Amino acid sequence: MNTDVNGFMNIIIFASGNGSNAENIIKYFNKKKYNINWLTVTNNKHAGVIEKVTKLGAKIKIISKNDLGEEIFIHSIIGLKPALIILAGFLLKIPENFIKNFNNRIINIHPSLLPKYGGKGMYGQFVHRKVIENKEIKSGITIHFVNEKYDEGKIIFQKDIEIKEPKTSDSLANQIHKLEMKYFPLIIEKLIS
Ligand code: GAR
């Protein structure tokens, strides 16, 4: 794995929203005393993730939608030689000219059992509402490599759960949140070890 002269690796988290996954991931690795430099990239200057991860020592980079496909931005990320790029509630599509530089090093978490309930516009509550609407018995989480198509990269890990009463999108979101908190750091740890 890529480490610098001091034995630190760079991990980059892309997040657009609340940032509970980003926070949980960084806390997990801080607690285990991993030597990691964290950078969080966000396209939303008001995102909750900014305060959460800054407190934990991560650096922040705020970008615009267009930056993602710009060579100057891409080269700044290549220069960091990231061990992993983690999408944790990042709502923009990662362009192909970005992805091609990081083969099997960009992962995403999705709050359903892909290939079900994936694709453009399917994120957060939109996913849970559809799952409930369709009277599914099970849902779960998927962690997958990112390719040029929304939610279609190779699956690394899935965990399913039976949807508990009351079958509302909020209670399902709660169940999914617990799975994300438990499994995402563990899978990341495997990938970087
Ligand atoms: C998470 O539930 C994640 O699975 C989902 O957004 C939420 C972000 O929460 N991602 C997607 O829906 C991607 N299509 P967080 O900001 O609190 O980590």
Side-chain angles (χ1 to χ4, degrees):
M1 219 20 102
N2 285 327
T3 52
D4 67 13
V5 284
N6 301 313
F8 274 73
M9 66 173 85
N10 290 328
I11 299 185
I12 307 177
I13 302 178
F14 282 61
S16 305
N18 181 37
S20 66
N21 277 283
E23 179 182 47
N24 180 58
I25 292 163
I26 298 175
K27 274 189 178 162
Y28 176 92
F29 287 94
N30 279 356
K31 199 166 163 195
K32 292 189 111 184
K33 308 237 178 297
Y34 273 83
N35 290 334
I36 296 173
N37 295 314
W38 296 96
L39 170 65
T40 298
V41 174
T42 184
N43 60 310
N44 174 6
K45 63 175 192 270
H46 304 296
V49 68
I50 296 175
E51 195 187 333
K52 285 194 177 75
V53 304
T54 306
K55 274 188 193 152
L56 298 171
K59 287 196 186 122
I60 296 284
K61 191 173 178 67
I62 298 171
I63 60 161
S64 70
K65 188 176 176 185
N66 288 341
D67 287 335
L68 270 180
E70 295 288 344
E71 289 302 313
I72 188 157
F73 173 68
I74 296 172
H75 280 281
S76 73
I77 300 293
I78 293 173
L80 294 174
K81 297 192 172 72
L84 204 61
I85 296 174
I86 300 164
L87 310 189
F90 189 65
L91 300 184
L92 300 179
K93 192 159 187 277
I94 306 286
E96 209 170 332
N97 62 332
F98 183 102
I99 293 173
K100 70 172 193 217
N101 298 290
F102 304 102
N103 192 26
N104 284 350
R105 268 190 297 153
I106 313 177
I107 63 169
N108 179 44
I109 189 157
H110 187 80
S112 76
L113 297 169
L114 291 174
K116 283 181 141 188
Y117 305 103
K120 196 168 164 37
M122 290 303 271
Y123 59 88
Q125 281 291 343
F126 294 103
V127 176
H128 306 313
R129 277 187 213 140
K130 264 270 170 273
V131 170
I132 297 292
E133 212 176 285
N134 289 351
K135 305 203 181 322
E136 295 281 1
I137 296 164
K138 284 183 171 180
S139 190
I141 58 168
T142 303
I143 297 167
H144 65 93
F145 288 114
V146 172
N147 68 10
E148 64 290 347
K149 297 196 182 130
Y150 263 120
D151 302 326
E152 287 188 24
K154 187 170 169 252
I155 292 174
I156 303 165
F157 174 84
Q158 287 188 307
K159 179 77 187 169
D160 63 31
I161 37 117
E162 218 161 276
I163 302 172
K164 283 193 203 141
E165 298 288 347
K167 295 186 187 215
T168 63
S169 59
D170 280 348
S171 71
L172 175 57
N174 215 9
Q175 280 188 270
I176 296 293
H177 178 77
K178 284 187 186 135
L179 291 182
E180 294 190 334
M181 295 300 108
K182 177 166 179 194
Y183 291 104
F184 205 11
L186 299 179
I187 300 303
I188 292 166
E189 190 170 31
K190 268 195 193 162
L191 289 170
I192 63 169
S193 301

